[in-house]
């Protein structure tokens, strides 16, 4: 009986303040089934009432959407520079004015970040200082709203200590020490003098800030091995503007702040690689990593097993005579399409037959046991690339220089 309502695909029905009515909330699935229009339901603090007071837990078809700050690419789009970013020469041979323009936008983005309200403020005022005041406003609103989710509202008062302590730990951390959440929680509880807090209260605040997307986890790839992961060994803020604003509340020197701003920018750009579904994702794993290998440290590490270099790395560690490397998207497609799986496995068999031919032609020990010369293939790797080509990698145990040259030309 809504005035002007027309039940059609051209209509959007918006139901706001859903947290005030369990009856309406529990009817959403029926409305979706019975109506032709699209339905959008909004509300606040739903997490505090689900499962109680008559609000049934959601069931059926669910989709989860991560709401992130504006990326640097999206930021350049706002200022009509996205095509410039995509087309710029990465090795310095482009037009200097173009580099200057992108560097200018990069400098602004590092200071104000990508929260939409903050970017809108900068567009209006062209002032970094005014834009950072908006970041302060957002943090105060977040603190006030978060109090509804804590049994003890004072737990939200710990946020400021968590912000500054996390930032200081990022800057002071020794190489490879990655302290993780537990150590950070203990430090905040020990150092807090303005509030008498315990570790549980601090833990609730840290977990909530992570769940809300303000703090993000970074894993450790042990000794550079992407398959040997130690979880949550570092934390980063999800937005450069947050770091720039919060750094003003610390005694950190300018060089330390510059360093952590750069790391925060890179971390969040790399984190975008993991926002795709598994079938579209071009990197393996679930998160950005850092790594320590001997005396060397990688600030960040991601791995793409569709690339030949990674195939060679797997080959060097493999224990099988033949290693065939599939991307996650290929495995997904084979699992859902039997015809595609059959065609793909025929390619694998063809590649194996070709490897036998290479063995015979160049006089190496066949991976399948046929001796044909004094040298041996230790391992064979076969990689099917996204462009339809196939790459072969062989690790030789003994071979003359002339034989190696013939292999490389092949």
């Amino acid at each position: 009986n809504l005035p002007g309502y027309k039940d059609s695909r051209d209509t959007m029905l918006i139901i706001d303040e859903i947290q005030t009515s369990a009856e309406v909330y529990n009817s959403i699935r029926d409305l979706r089934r019975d109506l032709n229009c699209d339905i959008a339901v909004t509300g606040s603090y739903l997490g505090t009432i689900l499962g109680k007071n008559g609000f049934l837990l959601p069931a059926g078809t669910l989709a989860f959407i991560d709401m992130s700050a504006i990326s640097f690419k999206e930021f350049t789009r706002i200022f009509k520079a996205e095509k410039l970013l995509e087309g710029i020469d990465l090795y310095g041979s482009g037009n200097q004015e173009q580099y200057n323009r992108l560097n200018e936008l990069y400098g602004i983005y590092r200071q104000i970040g990508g929260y939409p309200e903050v970017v809108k403020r900068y567009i209006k005022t062209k002032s970094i200082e005014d834009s950072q005041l908006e970041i302060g406003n957002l943090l105060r609103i977040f603190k006030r709203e978060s109090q509804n989710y804590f049994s003890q509202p004072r737990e939200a008062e710990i946020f400021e200590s968590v912000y500054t302590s996390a930032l200081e730990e990022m800057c002071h951390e020794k190489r490879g020490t990655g302290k993780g959440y537990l150590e950070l929680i203990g430090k905040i509880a020990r150092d807090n003098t303005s509030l008498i807090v315990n570790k549980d209260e601090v833990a609730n605040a840290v977990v909530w800030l992570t769940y809300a997307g303000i703090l993000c986890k970074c894993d450790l790839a042990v000794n550079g091995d992407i398959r040997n992961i130690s979880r949550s060994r570092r934390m980063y803020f999800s937005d450069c503007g947050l770091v720039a604003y919060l750094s003003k509340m610390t005694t950190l020197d300018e060089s330390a702040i510059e360093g952590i701003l750069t790391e925060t920018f890179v971390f969040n750009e790399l984190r975008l690689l993991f926002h795709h579904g598994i079938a579209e994702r071009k990197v393996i794993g679930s998160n950005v990593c850092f790594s320590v290998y001997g005396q060397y440290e990688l600030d960040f590490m991601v791995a793409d097993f569709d690339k030949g270099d990674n195939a060679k790395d797997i080959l060097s560690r493999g224990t099988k005579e033949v290693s065939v490397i599939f991307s996650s998207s290929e495995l997904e497609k084979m699992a859902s399409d039997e015809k595609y799986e059959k065609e793909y496995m025929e390619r694998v068999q063809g590649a194996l037959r070709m490897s036998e031919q290479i063995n015979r032609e160049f006089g190496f020990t066949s991976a399948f046991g046929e001796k044909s010369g004094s040298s041996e293939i230790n391992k064979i790797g076969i990689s099917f690339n996204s462009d339809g080509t196939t790459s072969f990698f062989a690790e030789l145990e003994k071979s003359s220089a002339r034989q190696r040259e013939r292999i490389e030309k092949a």
Side-chain angles (χ1 to χ4, degrees):
N1 296 322
L2 294 175
Y5 170 75
K6 182 180 180 181
D7 187 22
S8 73
R9 296 296 299 170
D10 296 328
T11 300
M12 168 70 79
L13 176 63
I14 301 175
I15 304 174
D16 195 14
E17 301 296 339
I18 191 64
Q19 76 277 4
T20 63
S21 174
E23 182 180 4
V24 176
Y25 174 81
N26 295 331
S27 300
I28 292 174
R29 293 184 67 190
D30 293 334
L31 291 172
R32 180 174 175 268
R33 182 189 64 229
D34 296 339
L35 300 179
N36 293 315
C37 67
D38 290 328
I39 304 173
V41 181
T42 64
S44 304
Y45 318 125
L46 197 58
T48 65
I49 58 175
L50 283 180
K52 45 192 170 182
N53 300 325
F55 285 82
L56 303 179
L57 292 172
T61 302
L62 293 175
F64 296 90
I65 301 175
D66 288 328
M67 303 293 287
S68 301
I70 294 170
S71 68
F72 182 62
K73 182 179 180 181
E74 293 167 331
F75 187 77
T76 60
R77 185 185 308 160
I78 294 171
F79 293 93
K80 314 297 183 186
E82 183 179 14
K83 290 184 178 179
L84 177 60
L85 176 67
E86 293 176 337
I88 197 74
D89 183 86
L90 300 179
Y91 300 98
S93 62
N95 184 291
Q96 187 60 47
E97 290 184 1
Q98 295 178 335
Y99 291 113
N100 292 342
R101 174 56 176 158
L102 288 177
N103 190 56
E104 177 189 10
L105 292 175
Y106 169 66
I108 297 169
Y109 183 81
R110 290 208 323 165
Q111 293 297 318
I112 70 170
Y115 284 130
E117 285 300 315
V118 179
V119 175
K120 285 168 62 177
R121 173 73 72 91
Y122 180 80
I123 293 172
K124 181 178 180 181
T125 66
K126 296 296 187 292
S127 167
I128 289 176
E129 290 75 16
D130 283 351
S131 302
Q132 289 184 341
L133 289 176
E134 187 64 34
I135 295 174
N137 291 336
L138 292 177
L139 288 176
R140 282 187 288 274
I141 292 172
F142 174 76
K143 173 182 170 182
R144 185 175 67 246
E145 300 284 297
S146 296
Q147 289 175 339
N148 293 277
Y149 285 86
F150 292 119
S151 57
Q152 299 294 327
R154 84 188 197 98
E155 292 178 11
E157 298 294 330
I158 305 170
F159 284 173
E160 187 170 327
S161 294
V162 175
Y163 294 148
T164 55
S165 294
L167 187 56
E168 289 169 353
E169 283 299 300
M170 291 176 197
C171 294
H172 293 156
E173 184 182 44
K174 298 292 189 296
R175 181 176 65 85
T177 56
K179 293 184 178 178
Y181 284 174
L182 293 179
E183 292 87 344
L184 177 64
I185 289 167
K187 181 182 184 302
I188 296 171
R190 289 192 304 271
D191 296 350
N192 199 304
T193 57
S194 59
L195 288 170
I196 304 301
V197 296
N198 59 47
K199 287 186 178 181
D200 287 342
E201 291 174 322
V202 177
N204 287 341
V206 172
V207 171
W208 178 247
L209 290 171
T210 306
Y211 178 77
I214 288 181
L215 288 175
C216 301
K217 298 175 285 187
C218 184
D219 300 335
L220 168 65
V222 180
N223 292 325
D225 187 351
I226 200 69
R227 296 165 298 180
N228 186 4
I229 300 298
S230 180
R231 301 292 179 188
S232 306
R233 300 311 299 168
R234 283 183 181 169
M235 289 187 295
Y236 286 93
F237 284 92
S238 61
D239 182 73
C240 292
L242 285 175
V243 174
Y245 173 81
L246 293 170
S247 66
K248 300 181 186 303
M249 304 178 187
T250 71
T251 57
L252 295 169
D253 60 57
E254 186 174 346
S255 63
I257 294 171
E258 285 296 307
I260 199 60
L261 276 172
T262 301
E263 284 193 30
T264 302
F265 174 84
V266 175
F267 171 80
N268 284 290
E269 289 298 308
L270 291 175
R271 198 162 59 94
L272 295 175
L273 298 174
F274 296 89
H275 283 191
H276 302 287
I278 293 177
E280 296 82 22
R281 190 180 298 171
K282 296 182 179 180
V283 291
I284 68 166
S286 59
N287 198 16
V288 182
C289 297
F290 72 99
S291 185
V292 177
Y293 190 86
Q295 62 178 331
Y296 304 104
E297 179 174 5
L298 287 174
D299 287 333
F300 300 109
M301 177 179 177
V302 294
D304 178 358
F305 278 3
D306 288 338
K307 303 298 183 185
D309 289 343
N310 290 296
K312 293 177 183 177
D313 179 61
I314 298 171
L315 174 61
S316 68
R317 306 181 195 188
T319 59
K320 304 297 183 182
E321 281 188 308
V322 178
S323 299
V324 183
I325 301 169
F326 298 99
S327 69
S328 57
S329 59
E330 295 292 359
L331 290 174
E332 287 276 335
K333 195 169 182 180
M334 282 192 285
S336 60
D337 189 337
E338 292 184 2
K339 181 180 177 182
Y340 181 81
E341 178 188 10
K342 181 180 178 181
E343 293 174 350
Y344 211 105
M345 293 312 297
E346 287 176 354
R347 289 180 63 192
V348 172
Q349 293 301 322
L352 293 176
R353 289 191 295 271
M354 192 177 298
S355 72
E356 288 187 276
Q357 180 181 345
I358 292 173
N359 292 333
R360 288 191 293 269
E361 182 177 347
F362 292 97
F364 307 134
T365 299
S366 168
F368 306 96
E370 296 179 5
K371 296 278 184 181
S372 154
S374 60
S375 300
E376 297 183 357
I377 289 181
N378 190 30
K379 297 186 181 76
I380 292 176
I382 305 169
S383 176
F384 294 96
N385 304 317
S386 57
D387 60 1
T389 61
T390 303
S391 299
F392 291 79
F393 309 95
E395 182 179 291
L396 306 183
E397 201 163 278
K398 293 187 297 180
S399 178
S400 69
R402 183 177 179 183
Q403 285 173 318
R404 292 180 183 272
E405 182 179 357
R406 291 172 64 193
I407 297 170
E408 291 173 356
K409 288 182 178 179

